[in-house]
C-alpha cells in the first residue's frame, strides 16, 4: 500500500463491505473472487470487511496481492475505551489500511473532522494507510457549498500532517447523495471535485505531493459505470459499497 512520491498513481479498487458478511460468508466470497482477479496487475485490490471477519479475510487472501483494510479505528493504542479497536490491533490482525471518516460514520456516529484527524495520525503512526473520506450531502451541493465543505473536511481531517505523512494517505471523494442511491456522480462531476481536492493538496503541500495523491471515487460504482469513471485522469480508483459484496460484480469492477 506504500504511496511513495512518484509520478505514477497506481489505481486502487477498495471494497467497503459495511455491516455485511459473517466469517463464513467472507470465506465464500473470496473462494469465488480470488480466481477472477489473479490476472489483475493494473491496480491494487483492497477489501474492508467488518472487524469480526478481518482475521479470516487476512488468512484467505494470504499469498495473493489482495490487501485487507478496516472500516474504522480509534486513535489510542490502548486504554479504557469500551467498544473501540486500536491501530496496533489492526496491524497485528494483518490490516494494511483503514477507512477513516466514511460519511456513514460522520452521519450516524458523530465523526468530526477533528476525530478524523486524530485517527489519520494514529493510523499513520503504526504504518496503516488511511483512506480518508470526504464528500458533500445533497443539500450542500444544491446550496452551492460543495467546495466549501470539501475544503473544510480536507483542512480539518489532514491538519498538521507533514508532507511525508501526507504522501502515505489515500483520499476518497464520496458525494453522500450518490451513496447507495444508484445515483452516481457523472465522471465529469466527480473529476471536478477530485481536481479541486488535488489543487488543495498542491496549495497545502507541493504540486509534486499533489500529483502523487491517489483520489478514489465512491458512490454507486457498478460494473456498468467503472470504465467511464476510470477514463478520467483525475480518478485513481474506486471505493465500492454494495457492488463489492458480490464476487462477480466486484471482480468486474476490478477488471474494468
Ligand atoms: P455504494 O457503492 O453502495 O453506493 O456505497 C458507496 C460507499 O459508501 C463506499 O464506501
Amino acid at each position: 500500500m506504500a504511496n511513495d512520491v512518484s509520478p505514477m498513481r497506481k489505481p486502487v479498487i477498495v471494497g467497503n463491505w459495511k455491516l455485511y458478511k459473517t466469517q463464513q460468508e467472507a470465506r465464500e466470497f473470496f473462494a469465488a473472487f480470488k480466481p477472477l482477479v489473479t490476472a489483475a496487475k493494473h491496480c491494487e485490490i483492497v477489501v474492508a470487511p467488518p472487524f469480526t471477519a478481518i482475521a479470516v479475510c487476512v488468512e484467505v487472501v494470504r499469498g495473493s496481492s489482495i490487501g485487507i483494510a478496516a472500516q474504522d479505528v480509534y486513535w489510542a493504542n490502548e486504554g479504557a475505551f469500551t467498544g473501540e479497536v486500536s491501530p496496533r490491533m489492526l496491524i497485528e490482525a494483518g490490516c494494511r489500511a483503514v477507512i477513516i471518516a466514511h460519511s456513514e460514520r460522520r452521519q450516524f456516529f458523530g465523526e468530526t473532522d477533528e476525530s478524523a484527524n486524530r485517527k489519520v495520525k494514529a493510523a499513520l503512526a503504526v504504518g496503516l494507510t488511511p483512506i480518508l473520506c470526504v464528500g458533500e450531502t445533497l443539500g450542500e451541493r444544491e446550496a452551492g457549498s460543495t467546495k466549501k465543505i470539501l475544503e473544510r473536511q480536507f483542512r480539518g481531517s489532514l491538519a498538521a500532517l507533514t508532507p511525508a505523512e501526507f504522501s502515505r494517505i489515500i483520499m476518497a471523494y464520496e458525494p453522500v447523495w450518490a451513496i447507495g442511491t444508484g445515483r452516481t456522480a457523472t465522471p465529469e462531476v466527480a473529476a471536478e471535485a477530485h481536481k479541486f481536492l488535488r489543487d488543495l493538496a498542491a496549495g497545502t503541500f507541493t504540486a509534486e505531493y499533489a500529483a502523487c495523491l491517489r483520489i478514489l471515487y465512491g458512490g454507486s460504482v457498478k460494473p456498468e459505470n467503472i470504465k467511464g469513471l476510470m477514463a478520467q485522469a483525475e480518478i485513481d480508483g474506486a471505493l465500492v459499497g454494495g457492488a463489492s459484496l458480490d464476487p462477480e460484480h466486484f471482480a468486474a469492477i476490478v477488471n474494468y
Side-chain angles (χ1 to χ4, degrees):
M1 294 296 306
N3 196 9
D4 295 325
V5 176
S6 82
M8 280 300 293
R9 301 198 297 263
K10 187 167 187 181
V12 197
I13 306 288
V14 183
N16 173 12
W17 283 357
K18 307 191 180 185
L19 188 52
Y20 291 94
K21 293 201 194 290
T22 61
Q23 296 185 359
Q24 182 55 32
E25 288 162 348
R27 282 187 197 281
E28 287 163 13
F29 173 90
F30 280 110
F33 177 71
K34 280 203 313 182
L36 302 175
V37 296
T38 40
K41 305 279 181 264
H42 59 287
C43 69
E44 292 181 20
I45 307 169
V46 178
V47 172
F51 288 125
T52 49
I54 285 174
V56 160
C57 292
V58 168
E59 174 198 318
V60 298
V61 302
R62 194 162 286 138
S64 78
S65 61
I66 302 167
I68 299 301
Q71 297 175 17
D72 190 21
V73 66
Y74 191 61
W75 54 78
N77 268 323
E78 55 186 16
F81 302 108
T82 302
E84 295 297 323
V85 172
S86 80
R88 215 168 47 131
M89 292 167 183
L90 295 182
I91 285 284
E92 186 199 38
C95 288
R96 294 187 204 168
V98 56
I99 298 171
I100 293 176
H102 189 278
S103 67
E104 287 149 17
R105 303 287 331 159
R106 294 180 187 264
Q107 201 176 343
F108 305 128
F109 302 101
E111 189 84 88
T112 62
D113 294 328
E114 193 202 354
S115 60
N117 183 233
R118 288 178 163 218
K119 292 176 179 186
V120 167
K121 287 186 191 154
L124 287 167
V126 298
L128 283 166
T129 298
I131 303 171
L132 174 73
C133 302
V134 297
E136 80 287 359
T137 64
L138 183 59
E140 289 161 348
R141 174 158 286 263
E142 286 177 343
S145 324
T146 298
K147 289 184 176 169
K148 192 179 87 191
I149 297 298
L150 293 182
E151 179 162 2
R152 193 203 70 209
Q153 292 175 341
F154 181 99
R155 294 201 189 287
S157 310
L158 300 179
L161 249 58
T162 65
E165 286 173 330
F166 178 73
S167 74
R168 291 169 43 216
I169 75 152
I170 292 175
M171 286 198 92
Y173 169 61
E174 294 209 317
V176 179
W177 46 271
I179 296 177
T181 59
R183 189 177 156 182
T184 333
T186 63
E188 293 73 23
V189 165
E192 188 189 351
H194 286 215
K195 168 91 170 55
F196 178 72
L197 291 166
R198 201 176 302 288
D199 288 347
L200 276 176
T204 311
F205 299 95
T206 65
E208 288 72 28
Y209 282 105
C212 296
L213 172 66
R214 291 182 292 182
I215 308 178
L216 318 183
Y217 167 77
S220 298
V221 174
K222 305 278 180 249
E224 302 79 53
N225 58 28
I226 183 69
K227 218 176 161 64
L229 289 162
M230 293 306 292
Q232 293 285 335
E234 277 295 339
I235 299 181
D236 305 311
L239 182 50
V240 186
S244 73
L245 297 172
D246 179 291
E248 287 180 7
H249 290 179
F250 193 47
I253 291 173
V254 165
N255 296 319
Y256 61 90

